Amino acid sequence: MSLLLRFYPIIPLCSLCLRGEMILKRMMVMSQISITVDNLHKKMGATLALKGITTRFEPARLHGIIGPDGAGKTTFIRILVGLLTPNQGSIQFYQGEQPIAFQSIRPKIAYMPQQQSLYADLSVGEHLDFFKDMYVIPSEVYITRRAELLRLTRMEPFQDRVAGKLSGGMYKKLGLMCALLQSPDVVFLDEPTNGVDPISRREFWELLYRLLQQKILVIISTAYMDEAERCSRVHVLEEGRILSTGEPRSILKRENVDNFEDFFVKYSERVKP
Amino acid sequence: MSEVFRWSRAFSVARKEVRHVWRDPFTLAWSIGLPLILVIFFGYAIDFNVRDVQLNIADRDNTRASRQFLQQFSSSQYFKLKHVKPGENVRRDLDQERIKGVLIIEPGFGRAVGAKQPTTVQLLLDGADNSTVGIIIGYVAGIQKAVQQKLYGERKIMPLQMKSRFLFNQEQSSQWFIVPGLVVIVVGLLSILLTALTVAREWENGSMELLLSTPVKPLEIILGKLAPYLVIVLISAGLVYLIARFQFGIPFRGSHLLFVGGVILFLTLCLAQGLLISVITRQQQLAMMLSFISGLLPTLLLSGFIFPIESMPKFFYYFTYILAPRWFMVISRGLFLKGAGIYELAEPLLMLLLLNIILVVVAIKSFKQDMEP
């Protein structure tokens, strides 16, 4: 049910006849977002944070940008969500096959920053109310959506707790809820599991998989190498460059390593012999 | 869909801001405490009218005339006289900063007065403290005139006489002069400080990053965040007004409507200044420091609050033209004491409006929509 929420006006239609189902399918393909990134350069102060990134984010997949701290993950994501402007290179969003202007896709982008970004003195419920207004979500839609998200994240009992008193895992879940409130087409999560205990991390990933059932584009960054294999596409970032991109398994096979930790160890040995 | 300005979003930002203020007693304490402290401090501590000046007397003549002369001094209420014993060093107390002056009457004073001959009395003053001494000189001139009539009789009537009458502040009360100026300080400092802190807090807290990634417009953030502080500072200004009227008994002779208009004009200008500071610093501590410096120093020193603008060097005199507190000071004093109308206040009002527009436009333009440093 949750995955169809965005298309709820179409649901009665598709129950009528087969043609409706086809329309629904085509609509889903139509609204699917993909992104191509071409030769992205970004200078942060004196250092060149991104040194020519070229890659592609395919629709309806869970993409992982993995790399150690300082690789440029946050800078890359901030450019993708329009919070930073690249010095060189371009980003193109596509809706289906059609190129689409960033300004028109922007309202359907959800973003969860890496650093703490919620209001310590506002409660879980007040956060949701606030972001409902920011995204201008109609009240009827909001009520169902809010209940659904609270159930999914198992945060129902904590609605009145202020963000400053939430545990690390719950804090991240609240951040995710705020981002997902508007039923986005693209979701950017910058190190969402950073500093979260292993059990909460697994719980968080389960949430992400449910999110993916809605056939939306999810881009996540992480410095935890074990999380790379949970993604359907991986973009390995190191010192502002993409080292490798593709399915996690095929990357490991290609590089002849067992896991991504070995991948980075092998890479650093190759760079400074 | 995302391009339109929505009042609902600005309102929601404002509601969130009110919650912050309500849950953080610091802000409310500032907005009530600062006006009270400033008014008590400036209203009671600063008094330009010097009273009870300590004066040492060396009456080496000690005649009826010299005693009459001194009588005039002590009955003026301005001076406290202390006779120095013969042979004692008359200047010692002056050197030790215990007194402000020494009055020396040489022998022969009484004789000269009796013979209606001209004579002199010496007054040594502590020139190191020129502001107090300047006031003393004024008192002495008055006493001299009175004593002359008493000792030499009405014979020397001066054909040309200057008759002064003080308008607006008949009793020359310092509080009447200071307290209307405090409105300027309280409104200016509070609105700059509170705004600078609230936007800087949003940056420091990291929430600005999340906020900027939503479809909310910068103008919606600005209006929503500043509106609650507009109300808070208006209440603080009202508090100063009430204290001025009912605690200090200062008259308000002008139009209240014009006053509210002037306050809002000056207030929005200061909000824009605070916004500009926080946009530049993005840090609460730095924002606080800059707010204090830029909100307090020009108002205290260059607005005519205490030091007259007319006697400043040319450069500073014209420099004050770009300082909003200077213009609002004229408006506040004009409305409280002089009952000035819109025509008399046209120049300061127009200058305030001009500076307001410039600062508001600059502040809004410089408000970042992204995370670029």
Side-chain angles (χ1 to χ4, degrees):
Chain A
M1 186 56 208
S2 68
L3 61 127
L4 291 175
L5 204 70
R6 283 180 309 133
F7 311 109
Y8 73 102
I10 306 163
I11 296 168
L13 205 138
C14 67
S15 62
L16 279 177
C17 61
L18 202 73
R19 216 176 120 246
E21 222 165 80
M22 278 169 62
I23 290 170
L24 174 65
K25 242 179 201 166
R26 196 183 303 156
M27 286 285 288
M28 286 179 80
V29 173
M30 283 287 287
S31 70
Q32 279 178 2
I33 304 294
S34 59
I35 312 168
T36 57
V37 177
D38 185 39
N39 195 27
L40 215 58
H41 283 78
K42 178 65 186 173
K43 235 176 143 174
M44 297 300 283
T47 55
L48 203 54
L50 301 183
K51 302 163 184 165
I53 287 188
T54 303
T55 193
R56 187 176 143 72
F57 297 100
E58 284 122 33
R61 288 255 154 69
L62 176 61
H63 289 262
I65 298 171
I66 66 159
D69 290 336
K73 301 188 295 292
T74 296
T75 307
F76 187 27
I77 291 190
R78 280 183 178 167
I79 292 177
L80 287 171
V81 296
L83 287 175
L84 290 176
T85 327
N87 298 106
Q88 196 188 322
S90 66
I91 296 163
Q92 183 62 58
F93 283 74
Y94 292 90
Q95 185 158 36
E97 300 293 310
Q98 290 293 312
I100 178 171
F102 178 71
Q103 278 312 320
S104 47
I105 187 71
R106 188 173 180 159
K108 299 305 279 177
I109 289 178
Y111 169 54
M112 185 176 151
Q114 174 193 0
Q115 58 169 332
Q116 298 220 332
S117 50
L118 302 174
Y119 302 99
D121 57 341
L122 294 192
S123 72
V124 171
E126 284 164 346
H127 270 96
L128 296 176
D129 286 346
F130 177 65
F131 283 98
K132 169 225 170 205
D133 289 336
M134 292 304 103
Y135 289 111
V136 201
I137 301 167
S139 287
E140 326 77 78
V141 181
Y142 170 65
I143 290 164
T144 26
R145 186 75 182 162
R146 175 189 160 122
E148 186 195 351
L149 284 170
L150 283 169
R151 186 169 41 76
L152 217 64
T153 51
R154 280 180 269 150
M155 291 278 278
E156 279 150 324
F158 307 108
Q159 288 180 57
D160 293 326
R161 192 176 287 190
V162 292
K165 294 218 168 91
L166 292 176
S167 71
M170 288 203 280
Y171 188 96
K172 296 286 184 181
K173 283 200 276 190
L174 176 56
L176 188 66
M177 279 198 282
C178 294
L180 297 183
L181 208 54
Q182 48 132 348
S183 312
D185 287 339
V186 194
V187 180
F188 292 95
L189 306 168
D190 193 3
E191 299 203 30
T193 56
N194 190 11
V196 175
D197 69 80
I199 295 167
S200 304
R201 259 172 72 191
R202 187 182 304 161
E203 211 181 85
F204 199 89
W205 274 96
E206 279 165 18
L207 274 175
L208 288 185
Y209 287 136
R210 279 175 179 262
L211 189 61
L212 212 65
Q213 289 171 3
Q214 301 183 16
K215 298 284 171 208
I216 62 177
L217 174 60
V218 180
I219 297 171
I220 183 172
S221 79
T222 179
Y224 294 123
M225 299 305 157
D226 56 310
E227 290 185 337
E229 287 164 67
R230 291 173 175 271
C231 306
S232 46
R233 284 282 188 286
V234 159
H235 309 256
V236 186
L237 194 65
E238 166 69 327
E239 289 176 339
R241 286 193 185 86
I242 295 274
L243 296 186
S244 192
T245 178
E247 276 178 61
R249 294 263 171 79
S250 57
I251 291 181
L252 295 179
K253 212 171 180 182
R254 205 189 311 151
E255 301 286 334
N256 198 20
V257 285
D258 288 334
N259 53 47
F260 279 92
E261 264 166 61
D262 290 346
F263 177 95
F264 276 102
V265 171
K266 208 174 151 191
Y267 169 77
S268 56
E269 278 166 1
R270 213 183 328 160
V271 172
K272 0 172 170 143
Chain B
M1 147 175 189
S2 67
E3 290 309 310
V4 282
F5 175 89
R6 283 176 190 269
W7 284 106
S8 68
R9 271 199 296 244
F11 180 76
S12 190
V13 173
R15 196 177 50 191
K16 174 186 81 73
E17 203 59 36
V18 169
R19 286 191 171 131
H20 290 320
V21 171
W22 206 243
R23 285 167 199 182
D24 176 25
F26 177 78
T27 314
L28 277 181
W30 262 112
S31 25
I32 303 299
L34 191 78
L36 287 180
I37 291 170
L38 284 178
V39 168
I40 289 169
F41 182 75
F42 282 105
Y44 286 110
I46 293 189
D47 197 340
F48 299 123
N49 305 328
V50 180
R51 268 180 221 97
D52 296 335
V53 181
Q54 296 283 336
L55 218 56
N56 273 6
I57 306 296
D59 184 359
R60 293 164 185 161
D61 185 53
N62 205 10
T63 56
R64 187 166 159 269
S66 73
R67 282 192 296 274
Q68 266 185 328
F69 178 81
L70 292 175
Q71 168 72 30
Q72 200 69 34
F73 264 84
S74 52
S75 66
S76 75
Q77 311 272 326
Y78 296 123
F79 297 100
K80 271 196 169 169
L81 308 184
K82 187 189 142 204
H83 284 270
V84 181
K85 292 187 189 83
E88 211 175 304
N89 183 355
V90 289
R91 271 190 53 183
R92 204 183 56 220
D93 283 347
L94 192 66
D95 295 339
Q96 290 174 350
E97 297 256 345
R98 263 188 254 133
I99 54 164
K100 288 291 167 200
V102 185
L103 195 63
I104 303 166
I105 306 172
E106 295 293 347
F109 173 79
R111 201 171 344 113
V113 170
K116 305 283 185 211
Q117 291 292 314
T119 180
T120 53
V121 172
Q122 190 180 27
L123 181 63
L124 297 174
L125 288 171
D126 178 6
D129 179 2
N130 59 349
S131 71
T132 310
V133 162
I135 295 162
I136 295 175
I137 295 273
Y139 296 153
V140 170
I143 293 170
Q144 185 193 1
K145 219 165 131 189
V147 94
Q148 196 148 301
Q149 279 186 4
K150 205 168 184 180
L151 296 180
Y152 288 86
E154 297 283 340
R155 192 166 54 103
K156 287 187 178 172
I157 295 170
M158 276 180 260
L160 178 68
Q161 277 195 39
M162 198 81 108
K163 290 255 183 202
S164 325
R165 195 164 78 83
F166 296 110
L167 298 176
F168 313 125
N169 185 359
Q170 287 83 354
E171 289 174 29
Q172 288 292 284
S173 153
S174 302
Q175 287 168 350
W176 283 30
F177 177 70
I178 289 290
V179 177
L182 279 178
V183 180
V184 185
I185 296 204
V186 168
V187 170
L189 185 60
L190 263 188
S191 42
I192 293 174
L193 188 67
L194 293 179
T195 322
L197 285 185
T198 178
V199 182
R201 196 181 304 137
E202 199 97 24
W203 276 108
E204 221 171 69
N205 186 25
S207 44
M208 193 58 100
E209 182 171 3
L210 188 57
L211 208 51
L212 290 178
S213 75
T214 70
V216 67
K217 298 269 144 303
L219 198 59
E220 293 162 355
I221 299 179
I222 294 171
L223 284 181
K225 281 197 81 73
L226 300 198
Y229 295 101
L230 190 108
V231 176
I232 288 174
V233 180
L234 272 179
I235 291 171
S236 299
L239 199 64
V240 179
Y241 170 84
L242 290 177
I243 295 173
R245 294 295 307 274
F246 299 109
Q247 179 64 32
F248 292 104
I250 299 168
F252 190 90
R253 298 182 174 125
S255 140
H256 282 87
L257 194 69
L258 209 56
F259 186 60
V260 172
V263 169
I264 288 178
L265 214 54
F266 180 61
L267 175 52
T268 45
L269 180 145
C270 292
L271 291 176
Q273 189 176 334
L275 182 67
L276 200 61
I277 289 174
S278 65
V279 164
I280 295 166
T281 63
R282 293 190 190 179
Q283 287 174 30
Q284 289 194 71
Q285 271 207 324
L286 202 58
M288 192 156 168
M289 243 161 59
L290 274 181
S291 306
F292 265 110
I293 293 171
S294 73
L296 211 49
L297 280 189
T299 323
L300 281 182
L301 303 177
L302 296 174
S303 71
F305 174 57
I306 293 174
F307 309 107
I309 293 171
E310 290 73 21
S311 56
M312 286 175 192
K314 271 272 178 295
F315 171 77
F316 286 104
Y317 179 81
Y318 288 110
F319 180 68
T320 63
Y321 273 58
I322 61 162
L323 298 175
R326 173 220 207 275
W327 300 110
F328 186 52
M329 190 69 72
V330 177
I331 294 172
S332 184
R333 284 207 178 116
L335 287 173
F336 264 101
L337 302 179
K338 299 185 186 172
I342 193 154
Y343 294 107
E344 289 86 13
L345 295 177
E347 190 199 10
L349 279 171
L350 282 176
M351 282 304 290
L352 209 54
L353 183 69
L354 183 74
L355 291 171
N356 181 305
I357 291 169
I358 293 173
L359 213 57
V360 167
V361 168
V362 169
I364 290 177
K365 287 258 179 220
S366 65
F367 188 86
K368 294 265 184 182
Q369 299 187 51
D370 54 33
M371 298 286 295
E372 291 285 350

